[in-house]
Amino acid sequence: MPNARASHLTRRGLLAAGGALGLGVALAACGKDDAKEGGGTDTGAAKSSGPWSFKDDRGQTAEQKSVPKNIVAFTGTAAALYDYGIQVKGVFGPTKTADGKADVQAGDMNIDKLEILGNVWGEFNVEKYAGLAPELLITDMWQKDALWYVPDESKDKILGLAPSVALWAAETTMPQALARRAELAESLGADLKDRKVTDAKARFEAAAERLRKAAKAKPELKVLIGSGSQDLFYVSVPKMSADTLYFQELGVKFVEPKPNAQGFFEELSWENVGKYEADLIILDNRTGTLQDADLKKAKPTWAQLPAVKAGQVAARVTEPVYSYAKCAPLLEDLAEAIENAKKVA
């Protein structure tokens, strides 16, 4: 889940603040070089005429007289569509880092060619959105009927300007999340039989098998899903996010924390960061979370953890870009981390 810093302690804000998938804090391209300039290929290339509709994971059907071309999407979802050759006109959500570089959630998109409507939690420029003459809004869904990074206070105005599609990023598994975004991309004109797409899917399937074998070979290995903030360390519940639920289904043995009332993660003080024994830690890599090198300097208790001492800390892409091209490396990296890890807890 994302790394937004919410000002209100709602469940949705907590997720954005950093919990859910490993969430921390408080609370590919299928196109050619010219597509790289803005996003992908013409979104209506495959279905340029006739009505368009898509039933989303809320059970709602978005409709237009023709395939939408003026698309605005949550950054991570836009990045997934990009890998299928579908471009968007605008994005919202973590897109640009403080030094002006592309956020990890932007994938392969050229962010300089996109209208960024909001870069942090609670930020969404409705006037700019209206100026894009949007035909479709797309985002993730971590809670039923809650549109990710669409501010509650301006939601009605935003949803009044164009149809919307929301797809689960929680309460689903990685293959299901991938299939739904591929289905959406196809409805928007993507060719799922394109060689780049089929190769990426084949790589993903091979990576899943590698992870399955790695986990089976080391059944005693315990993996902890963590996210670090200045004040707290968050240990995530594996079944609550699509990626880690899938890793669990493939045989990875995760630490099972005692979550708070929100159900996504348990907050630990840095004094109690060693509450759970773990041989391998996968650490939230989102912008704004503390990384291994930072934690070693700032948190003495972190440096004393067996997994940290053994150098068995791997980055976790907490909010995956749900395209096969982006998810295959995630499975490969985790498989490699498990293959190289030893029992230390």
Side-chain angles (χ1 to χ4, degrees), residues 41-49 67 86 185-192:
T41 58
D42 182 355
T43 60
K47 302 176 183 178
S48 58
S49 63
V67 175
I86 303 300
E186 184 176 38
S187 81
L188 294 170
D191 179 8
L192 299 189

Side-chain angles (χ1 to χ4, degrees), residues 75-124:
T75 304
T77 313
L81 292 174
Y82 179 92
D83 285 350
Y84 292 105
I86 303 300
Q87 75 173 10
V88 302
K89 294 295 179 68
V91 295
F92 54 94
T95 306
K96 184 179 291 188
T97 60
D99 59 3
K101 296 180 180 179
D103 188 275
V104 63
Q105 294 187 59
D108 292 335
M109 293 188 297
N110 184 341
I111 62 173
D112 293 330
K113 299 294 182 178
L114 296 169
E115 185 72 64
I116 301 175
L117 305 178
N119 198 55
V120 297
W121 181 259
E123 183 179 271
F124 192 115

Side-chain angles (χ1 to χ4, degrees), residues 211 237-240 243-256:
L211 180 55
V237 177
K239 69 178 182 179
M240 297 303 288
D243 60 334
T244 50
L245 174 58
Y246 184 50
F247 301 158
Q248 194 171 47
E249 290 176 349
L250 290 173
V252 177
K253 301 297 190 302
F254 285 110
V255 167
E256 295 282 356

Side-chain angles (χ1 to χ4, degrees), residues 3-313:
N3 215 347
R5 310 257 176 189
S7 58
H8 301 291
L9 303 185
T10 62
R11 180 172 183 238
R12 186 161 167 256
L14 277 164
L15 297 184
L21 315 197
L23 310 4
V25 254
L27 182 50
C30 295
K32 300 178 182 177
D33 290 342
D34 58 345
K36 190 95 171 171
E37 288 301 305
T41 58
D42 182 355
T43 60
K47 302 176 183 178
S48 58
S49 63
W52 173 89
S53 67
F54 185 86
K55 187 174 182 179
D56 74 0
D57 291 347
R58 295 170 295 178
Q60 297 183 17
T61 300
E63 297 178 310
Q64 281 288 12
K65 294 180 180 179
S66 61
V67 175
K69 295 183 179 180
N70 290 348
I71 301 171
V72 172
F74 170 67
T75 304
T77 313
L81 292 174
Y82 179 92
D83 285 350
Y84 292 105
I86 303 300
Q87 75 173 10
V88 302
K89 294 295 179 68
V91 295
F92 54 94
T95 306
K96 184 179 291 188
T97 60
D99 59 3
K101 296 180 180 179
D103 188 275
V104 63
Q105 294 187 59
D108 292 335
M109 293 188 297
N110 184 341
I111 62 173
D112 293 330
K113 299 294 182 178
L114 296 169
E115 185 72 64
I116 301 175
L117 305 178
N119 198 55
V120 297
W121 181 259
E123 183 179 271
F124 192 115
N125 191 314
V126 182
E127 288 186 8
K128 283 187 178 180
Y129 177 58
L132 292 174
E135 297 174 305
L136 181 64
L137 178 89
I138 306 170
T139 191
D140 288 347
M141 185 168 62
W142 290 87
Q143 297 171 262
K144 181 65 174 174
D145 298 330
L147 303 187
W148 194 238
Y149 272 78
V150 175
D152 289 334
E153 57 271 22
S154 54
K155 179 180 66 175
D156 291 343
K157 289 182 180 179
I158 293 167
L159 297 183
L161 292 171
S164 62
V165 165
L167 298 177
W168 278 118
E171 301 192 29
T172 187
T173 66
M174 181 176 275
Q176 292 169 331
L178 285 165
R180 286 294 281 153
R181 284 153 183 80
E183 183 183 353
L184 174 61
E186 184 176 38
S187 81
L188 294 170
D191 179 8
L192 299 189
K193 295 181 180 179
D194 182 88
R195 179 67 178 270
K196 289 183 179 180
V197 176
T198 58
D199 283 354
K201 187 174 182 180
R203 180 183 174 186
F204 174 82
E205 292 169 348
E209 184 58 29
R210 178 183 174 184
L211 180 55
R212 188 193 306 276
K213 289 179 179 178
K216 185 177 181 180
K218 296 187 178 180
E220 77 288 353
L221 204 74
K222 268 295 183 76
V223 182
L224 182 146
I225 311 161
S227 183
S229 73
Q230 188 60 41
D231 299 321
L232 295 170
F233 184 68
Y234 297 82
V235 182
S236 289
V237 177
K239 69 178 182 179
M240 297 303 288
S241 25
D243 60 334
T244 50
L245 174 58
Y246 184 50
F247 301 158
Q248 194 171 47
E249 290 176 349
L250 290 173
V252 177
K253 301 297 190 302
F254 285 110
V255 167
E256 295 282 356
K258 297 178 181 178
N260 61 18
Q262 311 303 328
F264 283 89
F265 52 90
E266 179 179 359
E267 304 103 323
L268 299 178
S269 68
W270 284 106
E271 290 75 16
N272 295 316
V273 71
K275 178 178 179 179
Y276 296 105
E277 293 185 347
D279 306 295
L280 171 66
I281 298 171
I282 55 174
L283 191 63
D284 185 352
N285 79 333
R286 289 173 301 164
T287 302
T289 61
L290 298 179
Q291 301 306 302
D292 185 32
D294 305 317
L295 293 172
K296 285 177 180 176
K297 295 177 182 178
K299 306 297 180 184
T301 51
W302 169 263
Q304 295 305 309
L305 296 177
V308 177
K309 283 183 174 182
Q312 295 179 177
V313 178

